[in-house]
């Protein structure tokens, strides 16, 4: 239950008087007195204040309206009902409207962010309506005048800027989707424009419809905007199921390419966009809707837009949505960061660095030179432990410049955002000189040189100005002042000391009054209504109320236990204090505005510094990871080899180490066309597709995935967990897990599995890498085997891609003999006293059997059951059961198990009984008796 709005309580003492000084300039306005709405009489007519509320509310029907009244945001009518329910705060009523009570709830402004956070999380949009003038100004217009108010901002999941509403280590994109349709009406291509309003990062691109889902997961927007028609499209809603974005419909007309280029030009302050790339019309349309929506939600405020990057699947390793989730790149299957590849490799020390790393991981590159340049930078820091340590220590103190910059640009920033820029610039300068010294005579690799240039992009004057202007301790808000350093501006110091002197004067005044009147309990106090006044307890006030003192001590108020007075001197001193305080505050606001303007003017340079810091943190963290985990630099080229020596699974390896378990066993994976066998390789494993067999738990899935993860890491520009890695650039990466392994996700039916397999067969090229783990398991044995068989054939003969295919169908291993592109490998196991030991080592050849019973023993199946299973298996393998193994395997597992256990024990007995019969010798009666006997044997079988 939350605190309910309470009326502002009365008096404060002299000591806290400065906090009550009236505000000026951009500072917020004092409370609206006589809470207008609340005190409306029970009328049937609509009052002016109610008319104002209804008017504003009508313009924002889809938002909760946070209506500023003094120190609270109030919500009324249905908004109040919804918010009270969502926030668990008290719903009350206030006044009447058209004869009925008005439901109301309120949140105090100092806790507004926290409540906003909870509402946004629950899917609400909030319109923030502020008072735009001092209530006193309204009163001057007449007693009936209503304080001017209007909405200053719409808060939606994709337009957040406050640190408390955002995850420091995660980007928050607002993404506009624009679909291009083929003649038949189905979506053929998609334009995506994404903008993180909290950092200014912007990317725009197009993707084929088939790649859209993966691209949307790569972007992982917090909010998606699209036309109603687009949102209603079956394909689009399928794509959007993969992300947790809020969906916001916007008018189709806002997808306007002309408006898009105009808005982009205006925001970027350029006359021509061609410097940023050749945007297609569809891309500009998406950008148009995006910026229109930003304008709408930010009420026209300028935002800190960085030059858009033109991105899309074409220059990246294409990873579809299913593969992303199956490989658990940035989230584990349970949806958390823990357990993902990102969590395993993230050693960044700043939020911006973490965002950069996540973005590189989600979108690995495809260009050999670009990847090489990234790796050069990582290698440089990998080789220099001391430099890396120093840099990381300096980076730790680097705050998030980009987010502070975004808030300052939107006029939402506070003194601490100024300090963020100051400290960020200091960290950047520190890093720049470390790099310069570290480079020595060797010189820097290109990417680090670019980072060094970026770090020094901002003019040094700004950092000095911020350093000398800002105090050591900074308040959260600018409105109360107190953030400018003593000595920065003489006028401010003068106003401040005047304010202090007068406070001293008040204390002296009080002492003198006590002495003169003999009223020892006489005190000077302050409240918002009376200002400064003198107060004496009722019992002691008598002398002040009578002649001669009553002439000087003018009576103001009689309270229950006290009487209040004022004097000429007190009023004069108050005026001095107020004007000094007012002047000090006004000067501070002026200084804030100056600094904010200087920052705003330096915005492009500051954004560059911020980006350089983020990249440096990312690169240093990858170098740190490589050193810590013993990773090696991968070699990449434009060929189609895939040659990993002693590769490891980065996540499993760390998990095993953390659990102090056995250490991870490295495994080779060499996929090459049969025509060009790699030297020194055992003959059977020279092939483009490896069929991996072996018992459950032997490590097949781990082996498959580690090779996909090594590819992702190599192409994002990271060192990899292997002794050596040589990879011909992969254009598309696919990973699928058969339905039986994937039931936990609750959505993998056989159908989904086949749809996803179809996508691979349709899209994989000679440059692709395909990981198929037990595909075909979700159906009966023969179906599954046939499908798996045909898929393997298609992959080698048509797609010609590099592939790893794990299967429990031993029959498939026969393919290796028939197709030169296929090799069999198996996970080595050792049998020891009827038990199985997994060696986790990949070796050439096929598994001779599946060791299911040994695995079952390990799993703790009761001894009699596994012993019996062993017997049955021997019978089956010797072909003693009619129909043979094949016929039995067609039965689903559990249906097959029951009759096997019950009937099999009788087979010997039955056979014996039947053998004993000689039909030629039987009379009709004895034949019938024999039949009853046989039946009884079966019915009463003790097994
Ligand atoms: P499969 O797919 O063959 O059933 P998994 O790949 O799921 O087997 O592996 C089962 C477990 O074996 C893993 O969770 C891991 O703990 C362990 N394991 C797998 N590969 C290795 C390895 N190379 N070194 C050490 N342990 C491994
Ligand atoms: Mg497996």
């Amino acid at each position: 239950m939350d605190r309910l709005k309470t009326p502002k309580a009365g008096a404060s003492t002299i000591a806290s008087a400065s906090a009550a000084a009236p505000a000026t300039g951009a500072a917020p306005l004092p409370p609206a007195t006589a809470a207008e709405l609340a005190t409306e009489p029970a009328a049937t007519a609509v009052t002016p204040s109610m008319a104002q509320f209804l008017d504003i509310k009508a313009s924002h029907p889809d938002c909760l309206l946070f209506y500023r009244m003094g120190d609270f945001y109030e919500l009324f009518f249905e908004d109040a009902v919804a918010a009270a329910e969502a926030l668990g705060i008290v719903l009350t009523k206030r006044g009447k409207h058209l004869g009925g009570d008005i439901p109301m709830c309120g949140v105090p402004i100092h806790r507004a962010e926290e409540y906003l956070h909870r509402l946004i999380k629950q899917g609400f949009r909030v319109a923030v309506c502020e008072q735009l003038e001092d209530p006193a100004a309204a009163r001057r217009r007449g007693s009936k005048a209503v304080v001017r108010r209007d909405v200053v901002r719409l808060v939606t999941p994709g337009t957040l800027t406050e640190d408390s509403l955002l995850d420091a280590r995660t980007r928050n994109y607002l993404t506009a989707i624009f679909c291009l349709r083929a003649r038949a009406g189905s979506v053929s291509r998609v334009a995506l424009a994404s903008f993180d309003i909290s950092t200014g990062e912007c990317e725009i691109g197009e993707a084929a419809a088939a790649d859209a889902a993966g691209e949307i997961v790569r972007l992982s927007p917090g909010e998606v905007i699209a036309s109603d028609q687009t949102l209603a499209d079956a394909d689009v809603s399928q794509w959007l199921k993969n992300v947790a974005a809020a969906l916001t419909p916007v008018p189709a007309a806002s997808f306007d390419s002309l408006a898009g280029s105009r808005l982009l030009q205006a925001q970027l302050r350029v006359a021509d966009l061609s410097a940023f790339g050749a945007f297609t019309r569809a891309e500009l349309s998406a950008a148009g809707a995006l910026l229109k929506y930003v304008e709408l939600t930010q009420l026209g405020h300028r935002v800190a837009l960085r030059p858009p990057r033109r991105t899309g699947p074409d220059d990246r390793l294409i990873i579809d949505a299913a593969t992303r989730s199956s490989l658990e790149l940035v989230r584990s299957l349970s949806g958390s960061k823990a357990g993902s590849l990102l969590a395993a490799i993230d050693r960044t020390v700043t939020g911006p660095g973490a965002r950069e790393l996540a973005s590189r991981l989600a979108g690995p590159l495809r260009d050999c030179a670009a990847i090489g340049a990234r790796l050069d930078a990582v290698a440089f820091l990998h080789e220099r432990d001391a430099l890396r340590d120093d840099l990381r220590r300096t980076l730790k103190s680097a705050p998030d410049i980009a987010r502070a910059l975004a808030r300052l640009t939107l006029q939402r920033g506070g003194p601490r955002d100024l300090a963020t820029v100051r400290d960020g610039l200091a960290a950047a300068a520190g890093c720049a000189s470390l790099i310069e010294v570290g480079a020595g005579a060797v010189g820097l690799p290109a990417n680090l040189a670019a980072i060094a240039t970026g770090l020094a992009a901002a003019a040094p004057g700004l950092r000095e100005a911020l350093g000398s202007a800002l105090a050591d301790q900074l308040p959260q808000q600018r409105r109360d002042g107190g953030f400018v350093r003593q000595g920065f501006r003489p006028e401010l110091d003068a106003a401040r000391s005047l304010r202090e002197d007068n406070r001293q004067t008040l204390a002296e005044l009080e002492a003198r009054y006590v002495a003169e009147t003999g009223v020892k309990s006489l005190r000077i106090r302050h409240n918002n209504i009376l200002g400064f006044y003198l107060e004496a307890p009722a019992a002691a006030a008598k002398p002040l109320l009578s002649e001669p003192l009553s002439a000087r001590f003018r009576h103001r108020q009689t309270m229950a236990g006290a009487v209040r007075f004022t004097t000429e001197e007190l009023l004069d001193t108050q005026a001095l204090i107020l004007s000094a305080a007012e002047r000090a505050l006004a000067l501070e606001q002026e200084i804030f505005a100056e600094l904010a303007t200087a920052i705003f003017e330096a915005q492009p340079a500051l954004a560059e510094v911020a980006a350089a810091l983020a990249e440096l943190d990312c690169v240093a963290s990858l170098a740190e990871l490589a050193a810590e985990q013993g990773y090696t630099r991968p070699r990449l080229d434009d060929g189609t080899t895939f040659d990993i020596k002693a590769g490891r699974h980065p996540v499993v390896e760390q998990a095993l180490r953390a659990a102090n378990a056995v250490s991870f066993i490295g495994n080779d994976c060499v996929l090459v066309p049969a025509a060009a066998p790699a030297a020194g390789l055992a003959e059977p494993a020279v092939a483009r597709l490896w069929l991996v067999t072996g018992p459950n738990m032997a490590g097949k899935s781990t082996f498959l995935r580690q090779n996909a993860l090594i590819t992702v890491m190599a192409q994002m520009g990271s060192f990899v967990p292997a002794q050596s890695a040589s990879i011909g650039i992969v254009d598309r990466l696919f990973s699928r897990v058969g339905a039986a392994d994937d039931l936990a996700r609750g959505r993998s039916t056989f159908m989904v599995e086949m749809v996803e397999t179809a996508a691979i067969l349709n899209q994989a090229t000679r440059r692709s890498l395909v990981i198929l783990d037990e595909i075909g398991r979700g159906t009966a044995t023969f179906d599954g085997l046939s499908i798996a068989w045909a898929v393997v054939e298609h992959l080698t003969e048509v797609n010609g891609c590099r592939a790893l295919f794990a299967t429990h169908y031993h029959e498939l291993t026969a393919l290796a003999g028939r197709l030169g592109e296929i090799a069999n490998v198996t996970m080595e196991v050792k049998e020891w006293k009827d038990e199985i030991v997994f060696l986790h080592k990949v070796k050439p050849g096929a598994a001779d059997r599946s060791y299911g019973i040994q695995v079952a023993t390990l799993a703790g199946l009761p001894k009699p059951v596994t012993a019996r299973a062993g017997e049955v298996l021997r019978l089956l393998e010797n072909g003693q059961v009619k129909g043979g193994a094949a016929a039995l395997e067609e039965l689903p597992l559990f249906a097959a198990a029951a009759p096997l256990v019950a009937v099999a024990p009788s087979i010997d007995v039955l056979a014996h009984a039947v053998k004993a019969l000689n039909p030629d010798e039987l009379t009709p009666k004895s034949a019938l008796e024999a039949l009853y006997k046989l039946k009884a044997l079966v019915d009463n079988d003790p097994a």
Side-chain angles (χ1 to χ4, degrees):
M1 192 66 41
D2 217 298
R3 194 163 81 89
L4 184 66
K5 178 181 171 175
T6 48
K8 257 205 85 169
S12 60
T13 57
I14 297 172
S16 65
S18 66
T24 53
L29 302 158
T33 49
E36 309 126 278
L37 271 178
T39 52
E40 293 303 344
T44 46
V46 176
T47 61
S49 54
M50 180 52 68
Q52 182 195 45
F53 172 84
L54 293 174
D55 202 32
I56 295 172
K57 176 64 199 172
S59 319
H60 302 282
D62 56 345
C63 297
L64 296 179
L65 184 60
F66 266 37
Y67 192 73
R68 178 72 179 266
M69 296 188 79
D71 290 340
F72 284 77
Y73 289 115
E74 309 275 30
L75 296 100
F76 299 98
F77 299 106
E78 306 85 43
D79 287 0
V81 177
E85 155 106 42
L87 297 170
I89 58 175
V90 173
L91 181 69
T92 62
K93 36 189 193 275
R94 231 352 162 59
K96 300 258 186 196
H97 176 60
L98 304 180
D101 288 335
I102 303 175
M104 184 213 83
C105 66
V107 302
I109 49 162
H110 67 274
R111 291 182 62 190
E113 279 189 18
E114 172 194 334
Y115 287 110
L116 272 175
H117 183 63
R118 285 161 61 190
L119 289 171
I120 297 296
K121 270 256 137 81
Q122 294 179 54
F124 290 100
R125 302 154 58 76
V126 177
V128 180
C129 172
E130 294 289 354
Q131 291 171 197
L132 298 183
E133 66 178 347
D134 190 323
R139 275 198 302 277
R140 281 197 290 276
R141 285 202 305 272
S143 63
K144 281 261 162 36
V146 181
V147 179
R148 267 199 307 122
R149 288 192 177 80
D150 209 346
V151 170
V152 297
R153 172 186 178 198
L154 304 183
V155 186
T156 76
T159 57
L160 305 173
T161 52
E162 288 79 0
D163 283 337
S164 60
L165 306 183
L166 290 161
D167 175 1
R169 303 176 76 81
T170 310
R171 196 169 55 189
N172 188 41
Y173 266 152
L174 170 68
T175 297
I177 301 185
F178 180 69
C179 291
L180 287 162
R181 279 161 209 283
R183 224 173 266 135
S186 64
V187 178
S188 60
R189 286 186 76 73
V190 184
L192 298 160
S194 304
F195 175 44
D196 185 342
I197 195 173
S198 74
T199 61
E201 191 176 354
C202 177
E203 55 180 294
I204 303 176
E206 256 191 44
D211 296 328
E215 190 63 1
I216 289 170
V217 177
R218 177 178 76 77
L219 298 166
S220 277
E223 182 175 1
V224 163
I225 58 174
S227 69
D228 280 320
Q229 191 200 4
T230 299
L231 288 177
D233 186 280
D235 283 340
V236 176
S237 38
Q238 205 55 45
W239 304 337
L240 292 173
K241 282 215 174 90
N242 299 305
V243 290
L247 309 181
T248 307
V250 295
S254 66
F255 287 86
D256 175 346
S257 60
L258 284 179
S261 46
R262 185 168 40 73
L263 288 168
L264 269 177
Q265 284 169 7
Q267 286 285 359
L268 296 167
R269 293 179 274 180
V270 296
D272 182 12
L273 291 175
S274 56
F276 308 117
F279 295 109
T280 65
R281 275 190 58 193
E283 287 167 350
L284 289 173
S285 301
L290 182 78
L291 293 178
K292 185 107 193 105
Y293 186 72
V294 167
E295 219 173 58
L296 184 83
T297 54
Q298 307 309 307
L299 281 300
H301 282 296
R302 176 177 282 285
V303 291
L305 179 72
R306 297 207 62 203
R309 280 177 298 132
R310 187 146 189 279
T311 59
D314 299 341
D315 50 3
R316 288 178 192 279
L317 167 60
I318 303 179
I319 314 175
D320 61 25
T323 301
R324 285 173 189 276
S325 96
S326 145
L327 291 178
E328 304 180 286
L329 295 183
V330 295
R331 304 225 168 280
S332 72
L333 289 178
S334 66
S336 64
K337 258 190 194 175
S340 67
L341 176 62
L342 178 59
I345 67 168
D346 187 353
R347 299 292 180 277
T348 57
V349 294
T350 67
R355 299 196 296 265
E356 172 70 19
L357 183 75
S359 143
R360 287 189 186 190
L361 173 54
L365 304 177
R366 212 195 293 177
D367 178 55
C368 220
I371 298 168
R374 283 187 180 179
L375 287 168
D376 285 343
V378 175
F380 188 88
L381 294 182
H382 180 246
E383 287 154 16
R384 292 166 176 78
D385 292 339
L387 173 61
R388 186 176 72 240
D389 285 351
D390 289 345
L391 283 174
R392 283 164 56 78
R393 206 169 312 113
T394 309
L395 282 165
K396 266 194 193 123
S397 69
D400 201 332
I401 299 185
R403 286 199 168 157
L405 208 52
R407 284 188 292 268
L408 287 166
T409 309
L410 276 160
Q411 322 237 307
R412 221 174 269 161
R416 291 183 192 171
D417 291 315
L418 300 178
T420 291
V421 175
R422 174 196 65 192
D423 300 343
L425 287 174
C431 288
S433 64
L434 283 171
I435 291 177
E436 196 188 314
V437 173
V442 195
L444 290 170
N447 274 21
L448 267 183
I451 287 174
T453 311
L455 291 174
L462 180 59
R463 192 179 127 213
E464 278 145 29
L466 289 167
S468 54
L470 294 174
D472 293 331
Q473 298 286 323
L474 295 173
Q476 183 82 44
Q477 306 283 352
R478 67 182 278 197
R479 62 170 170 239
D480 301 328
F483 49 83
V484 176
R485 183 184 290 281
Q486 197 74 24
F488 174 69
R489 188 151 300 173
E491 301 133 272
L492 175 61
D493 293 347
R496 276 175 174 168
S497 63
L498 203 59
R499 193 178 65 191
E500 293 310 311
D501 291 352
N502 284 308
R503 208 159 295 131
Q504 184 58 36
T505 313
L506 276 181
E508 286 163 17
L509 202 60
E510 186 183 271
R512 181 151 57 81
Y513 286 157
V514 168
E516 281 176 21
T517 61
V519 180
K520 289 209 172 57
S521 44
L522 189 61
R523 290 285 173 275
I524 294 179
R525 296 188 189 281
H526 181 273
N527 73 22
N528 282 337
I529 296 162
L530 295 186
F532 289 102
Y533 57 87
L534 286 151
E535 186 174 277
K542 201 135 186 215
L544 302 171
L545 288 163
S546 33
E547 293 282 346
L549 287 179
S550 61
R552 273 173 74 203
F553 291 83
R554 277 190 273 139
H555 175 255
R556 296 285 321 258
Q557 243 179 353
T558 300
M559 314 296 290
V563 187
R564 292 171 176 176
F565 305 89
T566 190
T567 66
E568 275 313 314
E569 287 163 304
L570 187 58
L571 288 174
D572 291 347
T573 314
Q574 164 163 305
L576 284 175
I577 290 179
L578 287 186
S579 72
E582 234 169 88
R583 172 137 181 81
L585 192 59
L587 280 168
E588 286 210 63
Q589 300 303 330
E590 214 171 84
I591 293 166
F592 187 100
E594 282 167 22
L595 295 170
T597 305
I599 286 173
F600 179 69
E601 268 155 18
Q603 187 200 312
L606 288 172
E608 240 177 90
V609 175
L613 282 169
E615 277 178 48
L616 184 62
D617 187 17
C618 176
V619 169
S621 91
L622 287 173
E624 176 75 13
L625 172 80
E628 170 199 307
Q629 298 286 325
Y631 290 173
T632 50
R633 177 176 179 154
R635 284 188 304 275
L636 293 131
D637 60 37
D638 288 320
T640 53
T641 52
F642 190 85
D643 187 345
I644 312 292
K645 293 283 153 53
R648 282 121 56 203
H649 189 298
V651 184
V652 175
E653 181 181 33
Q654 287 185 37
L656 288 179
R657 195 174 305 135
N660 267 327
V662 289
S663 54
F664 195 91
I665 311 293
N667 275 308
D668 299 352
C669 179
V670 187
L671 307 174
V672 286
L681 205 73
E683 184 53 29
V686 177
R688 209 198 304 265
L689 183 147
W690 277 15
L691 269 176
V692 186
T693 49
N696 277 321
M697 288 302 288
K700 299 183 298 296
S701 301
T702 308
F703 175 65
L704 260 59
R705 262 164 242 219
Q706 79 189 30
N707 288 298
L709 296 180
I710 285 172
T711 304
V712 168
M713 290 173 72
Q715 292 193 207
M716 74 179 272
S718 166
F719 281 28
V720 297
Q723 213 169 60
S724 73
S726 207
I727 300 174
I729 296 279
V730 175
D731 65 347
R732 288 173 178 271
L733 176 64
F734 295 97
S735 167
R736 292 294 185 282
V737 180
D741 263 11
D742 209 18
L743 282 176
R745 270 206 286 167
R747 47 150 250 174
S748 274
T749 60
F750 177 66
M751 183 63 189
V752 171
E753 184 185 323
M754 287 300 110
V755 167
E756 293 185 346
T757 306
I760 298 180
L761 298 181
N762 289 328
Q763 293 184 301
T765 74
R766 293 188 80 75
R767 300 202 160 278
S768 304
L769 177 65
V770 174
I771 303 292
L772 290 174
D773 193 353
E774 311 246 12
I775 287 296
R777 249 173 116 162
T779 183
T781 304
F782 277 179
D783 282 12
L785 172 58
S786 323
I787 290 169
W789 187 289
V791 166
V792 170
E793 281 182 350
H794 195 278
L795 283 176
T796 50
E797 289 173 353
V798 180
N799 300 101
C801 54
R802 291 160 283 181
L804 292 169
F805 195 110
T807 182
H808 65 292
Y809 294 126
H810 297 178
E811 295 85 345
L812 277 183
T813 57
L815 274 168
R818 295 186 33 202
L819 297 169
E821 303 272 34
I822 301 177
N824 290 325
V825 296
T826 183
M827 306 303 300
E828 196 168 349
V829 294
K830 251 208 322 245
E831 273 184 283
W832 187 72
K833 284 198 207 161
D834 249 13
E835 286 199 2
I836 186 170
V837 180
F838 299 115
L839 300 178
H840 302 304
K841 194 77 198 162
V842 176
K843 62 169 188 183
D848 45 352
R849 50 210 189 80
S850 57
Y851 300 93
I853 293 168
Q854 285 89 335
V855 175
T857 310
L858 282 183
L861 226 58
K863 252 254 146 58
V865 175
T866 51
R868 184 65 197 147
E871 256 170 63
V872 177
L873 180 65
R874 266 189 296 284
L875 284 173
L876 289 168
E877 283 175 349
N878 297 337
Q880 280 171 9
V881 178
K882 209 167 169 296
L888 280 167
E889 271 188 31
E890 246 191 309
L891 295 168
L893 184 60
F894 289 108
L900 265 180
V901 172
V903 175
S906 306
I907 289 174
D908 285 353
V909 187
L910 271 177
H912 190 77
V914 173
K915 264 197 192 137
L917 294 175
N918 185 349
D920 291 339
E921 284 175 21
L922 290 179
T923 64
K925 183 168 178 270
S926 60
L928 196 63
E929 275 168 3
L931 199 57
Y932 274 115
K933 237 161 125 187
L934 287 176
K935 173 123 175 53
L937 266 180
V938 176
D939 286 347
N940 303 332
D941 182 68

